[in-house]
Amino acid sequence: MIGDQPSTLLDKIWNNHLVHADPGAPDLLYVDLHLLHEVTSAQAFDGLKVAGRTVRRPDLCVATVDHNIPTTDRSLPVLDSIAHRQMEVLRENAQSHGIRLFDVDDERQGIVHVIGPELGLTRPGMVIVCGDSHTSTHGAFGALSFGIGTSEVEHVLATQCIPQRRPKAMEIRLKGDRPMGISAKDLILAIIGEIGVSGAAGHVIEYTGPVIGSLSMEERMTICNMSIEAGARAGMISPDPTTFEYLRNREFGPNSDEFADLKMEWRSLKTDDRATFDRRVVMDISDLEPQVTWGTNPGMVTGISGRVPNPEEIEDEEVRDSTERALTYMGLGPGTPMESISVDRVFVGSCTNGRLEDLREVARILDGKRVHSGVHAMVVPGSTAVRRQAELEGLDRVFRDAGFEWREAGCSMCIGMNPDTLSTGERCASTTNRNFEGRQGRGGRTHLVSPATAAATALTGRFTDPRST
Amino acid sequence: MHTGVVAPLDQADIDTDQIIPKQFLKSVSREGYGDFLFHDWRTEESGAINPAFILNREPYKGASILLAGRNFGCGSSREHAAWALKDFGFRVILAPSFADIFRENADQNGLAALSLEESVVRELLARAHNEAPLRLTVDLEQCIVADSGTLITSFEIDDFRKMCLLEGLDRIGLTLRQAEAISSFEQQRWPNRPKVAPESF
Ligand code: SF4
């Protein structure tokens, strides 16, 4: 409640961070945590310098290198001199402004959205920003967390505040039981398929329902991560005992003395019973299948037993055009059964599905088996800590024995800024979040899937229902 | 007020990966992205210019108004997309809707991303193909789009955005005027509030 008004989780966090409000102008919100990486920060630091400004709260900034670092042997020099320069510039900026950087040789390095939660930096009730659209990931903890552009990065560096218009609140309630073998990735792909890639524009999504409550933190992160793919400003899930348990014993997390008090505070971070959302979507997931995208955006998705759509059967002209265009790019004929499509590559990783549980799931399916002879497969852990833990558990052996490459942590083939890319015409089953044209390399054809589907597909060489392996 | 040639891109959901592909995000400056705008559409695999792509054709080469389908600028938050459009010579983007982060990035760079009725965009797309070059005037002050003095449509934009676009306000300077409010927020709220934020590392 705010006063005696029932309010949403979004309203509560918003009002808690409101520094200043002027009628007509965007609200000024305080930022608790500002995450930085090498690709979207250089120009912001430069802008500060030109304007003679400083970083207001370097203690609330954390930086890492993830987007363009190679995932091969870290002791070798970075061959791409421009990428190398970008990392150097981040080092210089972090150093001169006193910002903590988890550099390439640091045990805590990793994809910015993997390490934030892992290190206990991400906490319920925070406002978190980063020059990266998948900042929505951190909403899994009941934080308001969203991506910003470089000019806004500069703004936050200089003021620790961000001017924002209050977005609308949208509830996505999942009802029904989660069928066996259906992953969080399948849930979010189905949600995006249902509401479309701009279905949540201007809104912050709060995911609710018993299914959401039953998910692990890593699964919740997968869901919130892809909120941006539905056009949402952010995604969030109210914190609960699962959240609290996750936050124990994290390097930068609350210490045990603080924990009891914090838990009290965190418990209030939920939408009140009588609060109203601007929009509500209820989805029954009882009959959901593993999901696979067939097109060039994450909303172009179907169940594994489904088929590529036939543009001729689509009435809306714009949708028909974009479907036709997507099928041409993807090299797929109308009506093709998804399970008949063969792949050249399999990629497991990214801030969507590069965490330990994802890797365990892949290893469970691969265990003792071999990747199909026509497939080149790769696992890139989301962070160095994930990599270490996976090795402790022997997962790396399972991957290697199955014929997967086992790499160092980073974004890698999710964005293809480093040397890990698809070649023209190559088809990839990928656990990432964007199947845009050229995302993984020019002419590359990306199909988004869950880690389990990626693993099952690697074994057969064509899209395969992981429940059948 | 801006008058210029309109380039039609009749596609919905044009994402920022298309506007500026990732291989061009390694620079540490804000300039020089115009040559790489829509790179993979503008060039063939071989690197040769794709003569069929609209921005490689007369009279669209010198277009300063881009007309596109709904949800323009979705996907990645890369501000490089706004920098590339501006550097190429675009001053105005007209579409039925924009992705939130893109619109903010456009605002920050004085690139006017304006939403028009979907039906109006459809009509204009057809005209931009048929009557090339279609020249339009976009008057931000009056919130109208006109064609040689004839009103085509009006659009809505909130006063704050309008002021920022027209006056190129220093947004950081504006926030810094609230320095006292920021300091008192930090002092009053933080020690009293359970530490949701890490105090220091
Ligand atoms: S893994 Fe992919 S989506 Fe995530 S931050 Fe890196 S490039 Fe972006």
Side-chain angles (χ1 to χ4, degrees):
Chain A
M1 303 274 233
I2 295 172
D4 44 7
Q5 284 293 315
S7 45
T8 60
L9 172 58
L10 169 63
D11 285 333
K12 290 180 184 180
I13 299 179
W14 194 277
N15 292 2
N16 260 333
H17 290 82
L18 195 58
V19 170
H20 182 76
D22 255 337
D27 288 351
L28 199 59
L29 292 187
Y30 199 80
V31 173
D32 298 311
L33 178 65
H34 186 187
L35 301 166
L36 297 146
H37 64 83
E38 74 275 28
V39 177
T40 56
S41 62
Q43 293 89 345
F45 283 109
D46 203 42
L48 278 188
K49 198 158 133 198
V50 170
R53 289 171 176 146
T54 53
V55 177
R56 184 182 175 92
R57 294 296 301 260
D59 58 324
L60 301 182
C61 300
V62 175
T64 192
V65 282
D66 53 6
H67 278 66
N68 59 27
I69 50 164
T71 54
T72 44
D73 190 346
R74 289 278 159 83
S75 58
L76 300 173
V78 177
L79 293 176
D80 179 340
S81 62
I82 317 177
H84 181 73
R85 172 88 195 113
Q86 210 168 40
M87 290 183 256
E88 277 300 319
V89 168
L90 181 62
R91 270 169 213 136
E92 289 160 20
N93 284 326
Q95 172 109 55
S96 64
H97 293 282
I99 292 171
R100 172 156 336 224
L101 168 70
F102 300 123
D103 208 340
V104 59
D105 53 358
D106 195 305
E107 285 291 310
R108 295 163 294 191
Q109 175 271 343
I111 303 171
V112 64
H113 310 309
V114 175
I115 67 170
E118 196 171 78
L119 293 171
L121 292 163
T122 304
R123 300 196 202 174
M126 277 182 162
V127 168
I128 302 174
V129 298
C130 172
D132 189 283
S133 59
H134 291 100
T135 308
S136 58
T137 313
H138 309 262
F141 291 80
L144 174 61
S145 185
F146 51 90
I148 56 178
T150 297
S151 296
E152 293 176 295
V153 169
E154 183 181 337
H155 201 125
V156 178
L157 287 172
T159 68
Q160 203 55 34
C161 291
I162 180 107
Q164 282 286 301
R165 295 240 172 237
R166 192 185 289 240
K168 294 190 179 124
M170 175 174 185
E171 179 184 22
I172 294 185
R173 173 168 285 273
L174 299 186
K175 65 169 207 185
D177 293 328
R178 168 152 72 138
M180 278 287 285
I182 294 302
S183 71
K185 181 67 163 287
D186 299 312
L187 296 177
I188 187 63
L189 282 172
I191 290 170
I192 300 164
E194 172 87 11
I195 68 173
V197 290
S198 58
H203 291 74
V204 167
I205 300 173
E206 184 179 342
Y207 300 95
T208 65
V211 185
I212 295 293
S214 72
L215 299 177
S216 71
M217 286 317 294
E218 297 195 1
E219 292 176 309
R220 294 179 194 188
M221 287 187 244
T222 300
I223 302 234
C224 289
N225 173 277
M226 287 191 76
S227 303
I228 181 73
E229 258 54 72
R233 199 70 190 91
M236 46 174 49
I237 293 170
S238 184
D240 64 8
T242 307
T243 322
F244 310 150
E245 271 321 298
Y246 181 98
L247 287 163
R248 274 184 205 283
N249 306 320
R250 302 269 158 190
E251 184 175 355
F252 296 95
N255 61 39
S256 45
D257 301 341
E258 301 167 311
F259 220 87
D261 282 352
L262 281 173
K263 255 166 67 175
M264 284 285 286
E265 161 109 358
W266 293 339
R267 283 211 181 89
S268 68
L269 293 169
K270 59 177 175 27
T271 293
D272 297 321
D273 287 343
R274 282 171 302 112
T276 50
F277 287 91
D278 300 289
R279 237 183 105 197
R280 274 192 91 201
V281 172
V282 180
M283 247 180 92
D284 189 340
I285 57 147
S286 318
D287 297 323
L288 208 66
E289 284 190 287
Q291 303 284 302
V292 189
T293 63
W294 48 263
T296 51
N297 74 44
M300 295 174 163
V301 65
T302 184
I304 184 89
S305 71
R307 290 167 184 270
V308 174
N310 184 348
E312 280 175 18
E313 291 165 9
I314 298 171
E315 275 181 28
D316 182 298
E317 196 184 331
E318 210 169 29
V319 179
R320 187 169 59 233
D321 285 355
S322 58
T323 305
E324 261 167 17
R325 197 189 151 95
L327 295 195
T328 308
Y329 181 86
M330 295 297 289
L332 292 172
T336 311
M338 294 311 294
E339 284 169 309
S340 72
I341 300 170
S342 56
V343 303
D344 310 297
R345 307 279 296 264
V346 170
F347 177 74
V348 175
S350 85
C351 60
T352 310
N353 282 130
R355 298 184 181 79
L356 201 58
E357 287 175 12
D358 301 314
L359 270 45
R360 285 185 188 140
E361 181 66 359
V362 171
R364 183 183 67 79
I365 291 172
L366 295 181
D367 194 15
K369 306 200 178 84
R370 284 289 301 174
V371 165
H372 187 267
S373 60
V375 175
H376 174 186
M378 188 161 124
V379 184
V380 178
S383 70
T384 301
V386 168
R387 183 181 151 92
R388 292 278 173 273
Q389 182 58 31
E391 286 176 350
L392 278 177
E393 295 179 16
L395 305 183
D396 60 317
R397 281 256 59 88
V398 177
F399 299 140
R400 285 209 182 95
D401 289 349
F404 268 77
E405 283 187 51
W406 172 242
R407 296 290 190 91
E408 298 283 348
C411 294
S412 177
M413 218 163 74
C414 173
I415 185 161
M417 282 188 75
N418 73 354
D420 310 337
T421 56
L422 294 181
S423 317
T424 302
E426 271 189 322
R427 192 177 298 285
C428 180
S430 182
T431 67
T432 54
N433 44 52
R434 287 186 176 139
N435 48 344
F436 297 150
E437 287 181 29
R439 170 79 179 185
Q440 295 188 296
R442 184 170 180 160
R445 294 161 172 164
T446 304
H447 295 261
L448 305 178
V449 293
S450 70
T453 304
T457 300
L459 295 175
T460 61
R462 53 184 175 71
F463 289 108
T464 300
D465 189 334
R467 298 171 301 181
S468 66
T469 53
Chain B
M1 190 140 80
H2 174 81
T3 302
V5 169
V6 178
L9 253 186
D10 351 16
Q11 255 188 74
D13 306 317
I14 293 176
D15 59 80
T16 52
D17 271 83
Q18 307 316 312
I19 300 172
I20 182 88
K22 73 257 172 173
Q23 63 268 36
F24 307 110
L25 307 185
K26 294 175 191 170
S27 155
V28 292
S29 102
R30 287 180 200 244
E31 276 121 43
Y33 295 99
D35 289 346
F36 311 119
L37 177 70
F38 294 116
H39 179 269
D40 290 2
W41 292 350
R42 262 166 88 195
T43 62
E44 312 269 9
E45 285 276 356
S46 63
I49 293 292
N50 168 11
F53 185 64
I54 192 105
L55 297 182
N56 291 333
R57 292 183 358 222
E58 294 297 353
Y60 308 110
K61 274 185 179 168
S64 61
I65 301 177
L66 185 67
L67 187 63
R70 72 176 114 81
N71 197 29
F72 184 85
C74 60
S76 155
S77 61
R78 58 188 72 166
E79 193 163 323
H80 311 67
W83 296 332
L85 286 159
K86 205 162 174 214
D87 199 41
F88 180 86
F90 285 114
R91 294 293 167 266
V92 178
I93 319 285
L94 302 174
S97 60
F98 295 88
D100 296 324
I101 305 179
F102 175 81
R103 193 188 27 228
E104 181 61 38
N105 286 339
D107 281 357
Q108 294 279 356
N109 289 279
L111 177 67
L114 305 171
S115 303
L116 305 184
E117 285 287 333
E118 186 137 17
S119 57
V120 175
V121 172
R122 288 234 173 102
E123 267 171 48
L124 287 176
L125 281 169
R127 286 188 56 191
H129 283 292
N130 299 333
E131 324 171 5
L134 172 67
R135 297 175 73 83
L136 291 178
T137 298
V138 177
D139 186 335
L140 200 54
E141 221 145 337
Q142 308 287 326
C143 299
I144 52 169
V145 178
D147 169 12
S148 12
T150 317
L151 174 73
I152 294 183
T153 186
S154 56
F155 54 83
E156 280 177 30
I157 176 168
D158 75 59
D159 290 342
F160 183 81
R161 276 190 69 205
K162 188 160 133 181
M163 186 173 72
C164 288
L165 283 169
L166 285 170
E167 297 173 22
L169 286 187
D170 170 15
R171 307 277 297 267
I172 298 178
L174 220 55
T175 297
L176 286 174
R177 283 194 215 156
Q178 305 304 328
E180 254 175 57
I182 302 171
S183 296
S184 78
F185 182 94
E186 283 172 337
Q187 283 157 16
Q188 290 171 17
R189 313 268 319 252
W190 269 15
N192 301 336
R193 226 160 33 134
K195 297 176 196 70
V196 286
E199 278 187 317
S200 62
F201 301 121

